[in-house]
Structures are given as structure tokens and as C-alpha cells.
Amino acid sequence: MKKVLFFGLAMLLCVNALCDEGWSDYTRFDGRQITEEPILLRPTDPITFSFSLVEGERKSLTIDVYDKDDPEINARLFAEAAVDLFEGTIPWHYFDEQYKDFPTDDIYILKKTVETYSEKKVFERAVTILPEPMALLALAFLGALFLRKRARLLAVVLMISMLAVSSAKAADGSLVSQVHCRQNWPFDRSVCIDFTLDTMSRKTYDVKFYGCFGYDSPLFDLAEKGTLSKEGADGTVVGGGSHRTLWTPDESFYETLREDLLIKVVATEQTPPGTGQYLVIDLSGGPEAATYPVSYLESEPEGGWTEEYKTTKMVLKLIGPGTFTMGSPEGELGKSYDETAHEVTLTKSFFAGVFEVTQKQFELVTGTTPSLFSGDARPVERVSYNMIRGAEEGGKWPSSNSVDEDSFLGILRSKTNLTFDLPTEAQWEYACRAETTTALNDGSDLSSVTEDAKLNGLARYWYDGGGDPINGVINESHAEVGSYAPNAWGLYDMHGNVWEWCLDWYKMNLGTDAQTDPSGPATASYRVMKSGCAYSGARSCRSARREHVYPNFEEFSGAGFRLFLTR
């Protein structure tokens, strides 16, 4: 009996593993909408509603309340019913917190909308889930220990089969299990797609979403039949575990959906971008170019980084992962209150711009020249965070690494097929320090917070060409990129010239706990900037120095950026 039970369980698990392909059935809702005539009421009046349901129907109730004199002031409430009769009274305090205390002397317009849905189940069976290979192997191993001789042989065969399944899955590149789909609430065309990546890695994975009508029909790309948002919208997700994307079918495609629609999710480990210590982007085709060719170099060119690498080409240096102390130690001259020292580990290598993005490079990508001080090889300035990443999708970091299509990064990504971005604050400081722990990345500390001779060979700042200290006016302003000595990793102008935008929202206290791949707080009012600029004194050009600026601020001629690419 023990043999039979074990054999049955093991075979069931094996078959389940062999059958899984990351599929999920999709439940479709057909809806009709009934909108009642608007009515006038005061906040002291109750809101009443009543409607009936027939078997198999689901109804939702949406109530909108508008100020009669100001239609922009409104509140919304959703209610859902799956019973035979749905009726009652809604108190005003159920509405959005922002609008719950409506003035009682105003008159409001109330509109009730009822939507009816007929739920159509496609299949009743559960979605197949691939169990963890190690769990299967453990079951088989226990069987090999406790069963008799012939049963042990069977268990060994099962273990080999399970290893083959696991290997086949890895070879196929599919890492997806537990795919579940549900209609988005409040019910509309969009569909939530939840899935799990069976890996403990924090690497980046390419992800694709497919659909088909029945198991034997050809697959089609969901992105071509609608819009993807949230995780995976840009074709990538980071790390294993649970993920969620949202698919909104185009209206025309939605009308053609059939009840046998199935959804499949496929994820593969992202292939590292090229080989070589330096990544080079050719921008010479300008804004009209369909693509920007990308190439790799093993070492710096024999003649060094000539003018073309600062104007018509962009060059980035490969930086390996590592651990460092972020922030400034106690006693560092110029230390600020928001530079708490703490250990940070970066688990991924990345490419960092050898130079700050220049005016010519920015113009060749976007066709615009926002800078106040002209010069092709000077750093681009007067650029906001929103100009670089976009204010819509680009403003969602760290919940999403997507960018607006018409932003600098949106254009560059589409023409290189690489996910370039700003650095996280931790990446920036790690790249700046280049294994130093001092205020400056040449291994020295400051002796003055204003003018310091140690900084003169490293940075364009107020006391070295950036300004006129005697008359208090801007002098030569920004230097051409690469005019000062690089750090140990070959990156130029990490001190001074222009402040450089980072991805993170600004948080005053970073804490003292060790962190791994930090991405900053979920939200705040300001984004972080690092480096100091031509108008700064010595204290603002230190490696640990942090600044915070509104992401939409475009008038600051000391604001620039550097390009990064995380592998």
C-alpha cells in the first residue's frame, strides 16, 4: 500500500511538472451599463439605491458626486453585489477622505451607474503549478530510504526523471509557474496577470505575455493586442518571486474575445549586454536615426578618449559588484546631517558613463538644446529629472523602471534596445568612490569647506574656474567633460562641474543598517542629486554629499546627469 501511494504521488507530481507551461484560463465578463438620471441633493440627504440580480449575474454600483458650481470637485464610491437584492443607504463619510466633509450649504449633483456582468467560466480545472524541483527530489529520496528494494529502484528512476524535467525547463528558458488571471476591479477591459518566477536570483529577466484561443491554436503577443502596465510592461522583471502585470486589450480586440482564451507567461534570464570593459553608443545619426549602433571595447583606445566620445558617441565603463560604506564617517570635514554611514552591497555589475552627458549628445538624441552655457563637449544642464525619464511612467521609480517614450531615456532605449537609466544613489556613490573611503575619490580629505587645493585637480568648482570669488559672479562656469583627472575606475568629473540626477527619492535619514541594492524610499517630494557643480564650494563636491531637488525643476543651470546601465 505504501508503495502504491508513493508511486501515485510521485507520478502525479511528475505529470504535473511535465504539463506546466505557465498557462492560465481567462474569465471574461460581458458588461452592460445603466446610468440613472442625475439628481440634486445636500450632504444631509441620504443616498439610496436598489436593484435586483438574476442568477449568474454580478452587478457593481458606482456613485459620483459633483459640486454643482465646481464639477472638478467630486468623490466616487464603488459598491458590489452578488446577491438577489442589493439596496440600502450610503452615508457621506463612505466617500473619499479628501471630500468627505462637503460644505452643507452647497448643492451637489449625484449620478448613479449600475454595471451588470455575466460571468463566463472558461474551464473549471485548476491551473497547473510546477512544484519546486528540490521538493520533488526530497519526496523521491525519502521513498528511496523507506521503501523496499524494487521500490527504491523506482524512486531512483523518478529522481532522474525529475532532474530531467528541471533541466529541460531550464534549457527551455521558462521559469514561470502559478499563472493566475482575474478581471480588474472595478470591472473593465483590463486583466490582472499574477505569476511567479521560480528563482532566488535578483537578476533581470526578459518576460513575454502570450494568448491563444485553445491549446492548439497559434500564440499571439498580448502587447500587440493591447497595453501592458505595471511589472513587465517594458519586457523585463527583476528577481524571483511573485509579480503582477496588467493587460488592457484594445477595444476592437476585446470585442472579438472568445471564451476559450488562454494566457501564457514566459520568462528567460536576460543575456548580458555584449562583452568588453567599455560600451559605446554611436549617436552620429542624430534624432532621425532609426537605431543607435552599440559596440564594445576591451580597453581605452590608443589615442585616449577623443572628442567624438564626448559628442557623437557615448562611452560607459563596466563596474563590478561590491560592498562599500555609503555616507560620510564621523569627523569628516563638511559632513552633513543626512550622510549617515552604512554598509551597502551592490549585487549587479553595471556600466557607468565615463563622462557626464554632453550638450551635443543630448541634442543628437532629443533634437533640443536646453543648456544656458553653450559648448558641444560641455555637460548638458538645465535638465530636470522629468526631462530625462518623463513625468508619467518615468516618475514611478522605484515601483517601476519604465520611462516615458518621448523622454531622453525613452528615445535612447527604443533605439538601442538596452535599458539605460540614471543610477541609484548607491550606484552613483559606489562608482564615484572607486574603493576610496575619503571625502574625495583620490584618497584625500578636505582641509577647507570652501577653497581647497586638493580639489583643484579633480573638479570644476567655484574656486577653480567655476566662479569669481572676489566679485561673486559666475566666471567660466562648466568645463568640457574630461578636463580634470579621473578616479581610479576611469570616470571623469564625479566631483563638481554639474550636479548629477539619481533615481532615488530623497530621504533625510538613510539609517545605519546594512542594505543590499537599495532603491530609495517608495515616494517623497524630491529626487536626489550628487557631485556638486561649478557654483559649489569644496564641501558640496565630496563623494558623500547629497542634494535634493524637485523632479520637475528645469531652470537650474547646475543640473546635469550621467548615463548608467545595470546588467
Side-chain angles (χ1 to χ4, degrees):
M1 185 64 181
K2 194 163 38 174
K3 287 191 295 182
V4 173
L5 287 174
F6 175 77
F7 178 77
L9 176 61
M11 288 303 295
L12 177 62
L13 291 174
C14 278
V15 170
N16 191 32
L18 286 167
C19 291
D20 177 73
E21 297 183 61
W23 287 95
S24 176
D25 303 320
Y26 169 67
T27 303
R28 182 186 175 196
F29 291 86
D30 291 321
R32 57 190 176 87
Q33 182 171 296
I34 304 167
T35 302
E36 297 185 4
E37 290 297 319
I39 62 173
L40 299 180
L41 79 163
R42 295 183 184 277
T44 53
D45 300 330
I47 302 170
T48 60
F49 54 92
S50 176
F51 55 81
S52 300
L53 288 169
V54 298
E55 185 178 356
E57 276 191 342
R58 177 182 293 271
K59 291 190 179 183
S60 68
L61 170 69
T62 304
I63 297 179
D64 292 283
V65 180
Y66 300 88
D67 189 302
K68 183 174 180 294
D69 299 317
D70 186 1
E72 293 299 319
I73 299 178
N74 67 86
R76 168 164 285 191
L77 177 74
F78 294 107
E80 181 187 2
V83 294
D84 292 335
L85 186 65
F86 182 44
E87 61 183 354
T89 301
I90 299 179
W92 278 81
H93 66 263
Y94 276 26
F95 287 94
D96 292 350
E97 191 73 20
Q98 185 178 359
Y99 302 118
K100 71 175 185 179
D101 297 320
F102 281 49
T104 57
D105 57 345
D106 282 3
I107 295 178
Y108 300 91
I109 301 173
L110 179 141
K111 182 176 71 174
K112 291 183 288 186
T113 301
V114 178
E115 292 179 278
T116 304
Y117 298 89
S118 299
E119 186 174 350
K120 297 181 179 179
K121 281 288 186 183
V122 183
F123 292 103
E124 294 297 333
R125 67 169 180 77
V127 180
T128 55
I129 301 172
L130 182 69
E132 287 289 338
M134 291 306 295
L136 295 179
L137 288 170
L139 283 172
F141 179 72
L142 288 173
L145 286 177
F146 294 110
L147 297 181
R148 295 180 181 177
K149 186 174 180 180
R150 291 186 180 180
R152 283 199 203 107
L153 179 60
L154 174 61
V156 171
V157 172
L158 286 173
M159 282 193 285
I160 295 172
S161 300
M162 292 169 200
L163 283 171
V165 170
S166 179
S167 301
K169 183 180 181 183
D172 179 60
S174 177
L175 298 162
V176 180
S177 69
Q178 303 185 60
V179 183
H180 298 287
C181 303
R182 60 178 176 80
Q183 198 83 356
N184 192 44
W185 169 254
F187 295 135
D188 53 24
R189 293 201 313 272
S190 56
V191 180
C192 283
I193 304 173
D194 295 302
F195 60 96
T196 298
L197 291 190
D198 295 326
T199 175
M200 297 296 290
S201 170
R202 293 297 300 163
K203 295 180 180 179
T204 300
Y205 295 85
D206 293 318
V207 61
K208 297 285 287 184
F209 302 90
Y210 298 100
C212 68
F213 295 107
Y215 285 105
D216 298 327
S217 62
L219 294 172
F220 54 83
D221 191 336
L222 294 189
E224 297 176 358
K225 303 295 184 181
T227 303
L228 293 167
S229 57
K230 297 189 176 181
E231 292 185 282
D234 63 348
T236 64
V237 294
V238 177
S242 299
H243 297 274
R244 171 176 293 177
T245 193
L246 192 69
W247 176 54
T248 304
D250 293 334
E251 190 168 352
S252 57
F253 182 70
Y254 179 74
E255 295 301 321
T256 66
L257 288 179
R258 303 204 312 256
E259 295 181 12
D260 57 347
L261 175 66
L262 299 171
I263 288 176
K264 180 177 184 178
V265 182
V266 175
T268 55
E269 185 176 330
Q270 196 173 66
T271 304
T275 58
Q277 292 298 304
Y278 295 93
L279 181 155
V280 179
I281 312 167
D282 185 352
L283 305 174
S284 59
E288 304 304 318
T291 61
Y292 294 137
V294 174
S295 57
Y296 297 87
L297 301 173
E298 283 296 337
S299 59
E300 185 176 333
E302 187 173 337
W305 302 118
T306 56
E307 191 77 2
E308 66 175 334
Y309 290 101
K310 306 173 185 179
T311 53
T312 59
K313 293 180 179 179
M314 301 181 78
V315 57
L316 292 84
K317 170 73 181 296
L318 182 62
I319 307 294
T323 299
F324 75 110
T325 299
M326 184 174 175
S328 57
E330 294 297 329
E332 180 173 292
L333 185 63
K335 178 182 176 68
S336 182
Y337 59 89
D338 59 354
E339 299 170 7
T340 311
H342 58 288
E343 182 181 279
V344 170
T345 298
L346 299 177
T347 63
K348 304 174 187 176
S349 59
F350 56 86
F351 285 97
V354 171
F355 307 108
E356 295 158 329
V357 174
T358 65
Q359 295 178 29
K360 187 63 176 179
Q361 291 165 342
F362 192 87
E363 180 184 4
L364 288 173
V365 174
T366 66
T368 61
T369 53
S371 300
L372 179 63
F373 300 96
S374 60
D376 284 353
R378 277 182 164 181
V380 66
E381 21 93 358
R382 289 210 303 189
V383 285
S384 67
Y385 182 99
N386 291 349
M387 290 171 65
I388 301 166
R389 300 192 89 249
E392 300 302 325
E393 291 300 315
K396 294 179 180 179
W397 176 270
S399 63
S400 168
N401 72 339
S402 299
V403 296
D404 290 14
E405 292 181 1
D406 59 350
S407 66
F408 174 88
L409 286 171
I411 298 168
L412 191 65
R413 287 183 182 188
S414 68
K415 294 186 179 184
T416 60
N417 201 31
L418 292 173
T419 314
F420 291 105
D421 215 327
L422 296 172
T424 64
E425 183 181 3
Q427 286 178 321
W428 190 97
E429 189 167 329
Y430 177 71
C432 172
R433 288 187 175 280
E435 299 185 328
T436 61
T437 59
T438 48
L440 304 178
N441 61 22
D442 67 344
S444 61
D445 284 308
L446 296 179
S447 55
S448 168
V449 296
T450 53
E451 181 179 9
D452 195 309
K454 302 184 192 70
L455 193 58
N456 291 347
L458 293 177
R460 171 60 59 90
Y461 75 119
W462 183 259
Y463 296 92
D464 189 54
D468 181 348
I470 297 176
N471 298 309
V473 296
I474 295 173
N475 189 15
E476 298 176 34
S477 189
H478 316 100
E480 288 194 2
V481 298
S483 297
Y484 292 82
N487 69 7
W489 289 346
L491 306 183
Y492 292 81
D493 304 305
M494 297 299 287
H495 297 304
N497 218 14
V498 289
W499 287 98
E500 298 180 16
W501 287 104
C502 296
L503 282 169
D504 306 35
W505 288 110
Y506 174 78
K507 180 181 180 181
M508 184 182 300
N509 185 3
L510 295 177
T512 57
D513 293 340
Q515 300 178 31
T516 299
D517 296 325
S519 57
T523 187
S525 298
Y526 309 98
R527 296 288 185 177
V528 173
M529 301 187 85
K530 302 280 283 184
S531 168
C533 73
Y535 318 147
S536 301
R539 73 179 301 164
S540 293
C541 297
R542 295 172 301 113
S543 300
R545 174 67 175 179
R546 310 173 69 216
E547 189 53 82
H548 52 286
V549 179
Y550 287 116
N552 62 349
F553 187 50
E554 300 178 2
E555 301 304 317
F556 182 31
S557 59
F561 69 105
R562 188 181 301 261
L563 199 62
F564 276 58
L565 173 65
T566 302
R567 291 180 63 140

